[in-house]
Amino acid sequence: MIHRLPEFVSPISPDAADVVLVVGASRGIGYAMVEALLSKPEVLLGSPNHKPLIVLAACRHPQRAEALQALQRQHPQQLALLTLDMANAEAFATLTQQLKSLTPTLRAVVNTAGLLHEPATDSQPALRPEKALSQIRVDAVMRSFSVNAWAPILLAQAVLPLISRQHAFCFASLSARVGSIGDNQLGGWYSYRAAKTAQNQFLKTWSIELARTHPLATVLVLHPGTTDTDLSKPFSAHVVPEKLFTKERVAQDLLAVLRARGPESSGGFFDWANESVPW
Ligand SMILES: NC(=O)c1ccc[n+]([C@@H]2O[C@H](COP(=O)([O-])OP(=O)(O)OC[C@H]3O[C@@H](n4cnc5c(N)ncnc54)[C@H](OP(=O)(O)O)[C@@H]3O)[C@@H](O)[C@H]2O)c1
């Protein structure tokens, strides 16, 4: 469902505005990305003489995303909210239809949806990162993989019809350094690590295929650094303050990486400081 669609934007002319889709926009880094794009679009687009930027913010429950709704009231002509549950593989076809009804092309897609832990609900048990082999459960592995591993490549499938062959495009998805096999020194967090590793391989593989047909497109896998959000809160007590970033800072840093990296970097894994992360 499309919520609060600004009247003039439908359908958006590519000459009139650049359109960016942010997924996982309800809170954390995704919400901060939407805020940053609306307040300082030049962080992504470079020159201050850029076209107007329209942000499509997708999240599971837009009707419950109060901060995002408040932002939409402040920017009624630049921000529309879309519903997308990344764990529902069937939702992606609907997303494609919705996007096509809004715009012929996207300038960028930033996927920030991720899952490390979740409280128990009536329908499912709590999700916690495993500390030991004995704690691995198939249902928990599946829950982590559905959001962290294969949702990003299903999102790529969904947005493919909106990627121009003639104009620059960037698809960036948040991974995590713990998804690096080469950098794994602590162990633990089996499902989350493996799911992020799988995401990295999916997107690396897509970047090679995409380069053959869309030479101006860039696919990036990004590590945000340890960021003060709901996701890191249970584990951040021992992180020294200078290594625990605010989500606002991380959003700006990651958008700067998107701006700096072009097709020659496609298929790369980079951190918030624009440094390569080992696979
Ligand atoms: N924070 C860190 O230190 C850190 C470090 C390394 C990597 N990362 C990665 O950075 C990304 C952003 O993390 P964060 O710190 O901003 O986490 P967060 O504050 O917990 O936010 C997670 C976001 O993902 C969304 N999400 C979860 N499951 C979803 C689903 N099924 N469908 C749609 N959206 C879903 C949440 O939406 P709801 O509001 O609907 O739950 C929320 O918007 C994640 O991919 C994470 O793995 C974070």
Side-chain angles (χ1 to χ4, degrees):
M1 193 190 292
I2 303 170
H3 299 258
R4 299 168 190 269
L5 181 63
E7 305 243 317
F8 83 92
V9 303
S10 185
I12 301 160
S13 155
D15 296 329
D18 278 317
V19 185
V20 175
L21 172 67
V22 179
V23 175
S26 51
R27 57 196 168 92
I29 298 169
Y31 174 79
M33 285 261 183
V34 175
E35 255 189 330
L37 285 165
L38 292 170
S39 60
K40 286 192 193 160
E42 60 278 8
V43 178
L44 174 70
L45 300 174
S47 137
N49 300 322
H50 54 75
K51 284 187 263 182
L53 186 70
I54 290 175
V55 181
L56 305 178
C59 62
R60 271 194 282 200
H61 306 294
Q63 66 284 7
R64 289 189 219 155
E66 289 175 14
L68 200 54
Q69 287 188 18
L71 211 51
Q72 207 278 332
R73 286 192 290 276
Q74 283 170 38
H75 302 272
Q77 302 301 314
Q78 282 100 38
L79 177 60
L81 313 190
L82 311 183
T83 303
L84 178 65
D85 181 350
M86 293 283 274
N88 175 9
E90 286 164 18
F92 292 94
T94 309
L95 177 71
T96 306
Q97 293 315 316
Q98 288 178 343
L99 292 173
K100 281 182 170 173
S101 74
L102 294 173
T103 178
T105 57
L106 292 167
R107 171 69 182 75
V109 174
V110 186
N111 170 39
T112 68
L115 180 61
L116 176 60
H117 55 86
E118 252 181 348
T121 63
D122 291 344
S123 53
Q124 48 188 7
L127 182 74
R128 293 199 188 87
E130 311 91 346
K131 290 186 180 157
L133 179 66
S134 58
Q135 296 171 355
I136 294 177
R137 300 280 177 274
V138 170
D139 64 321
V141 176
M142 294 288 280
R143 273 167 75 186
S144 181
F145 268 63
S146 73
V147 176
N148 297 317
W150 57 74
I153 200 70
L154 297 179
L155 179 65
Q157 265 185 345
V159 301
L160 182 62
L162 293 108
I163 305 178
S164 165
R165 291 173 194 247
Q166 285 84 38
H167 298 105
F169 167 80
C170 183
F171 183 102
S173 188
L174 297 204
S175 181
R177 187 177 283 274
V178 297
S180 163
I181 293 176
D183 195 56
N184 186 353
Q185 291 159 37
L186 290 175
W189 294 19
Y190 284 82
S191 301
Y192 181 75
R193 275 184 193 278
K196 292 292 193 186
T197 311
Q199 175 190 173
N200 295 353
Q201 179 69 287
F202 273 127
L203 292 179
K204 169 79 190 180
T205 302
W206 179 47
S207 73
I208 294 166
E209 182 185 343
L210 190 67
R212 296 185 190 124
T213 52
H214 295 71
L216 301 179
T218 307
V219 179
L220 302 175
V221 179
L222 300 177
H223 167 61
T226 306
T227 310
D228 188 13
T229 63
D230 296 337
L231 183 136
S232 66
K233 206 145 265 152
F235 314 99
S236 59
H238 301 296
V239 179
V240 290
E242 57 274 24
K243 294 218 165 152
L244 184 63
F245 304 146
T246 66
K247 57 185 189 299
E248 291 79 14
R249 174 201 161 158
V250 165
Q252 300 243 358
D253 285 350
L254 294 178
L255 289 171
V257 176
L258 260 73
R259 191 183 71 231
R261 294 278 167 187
E264 71 291 344
S265 302
S266 195
F269 187 7
F270 302 101
D271 70 7
W272 52 274
N274 203 6
E275 303 284 340
S276 276
V277 180
W279 297 112

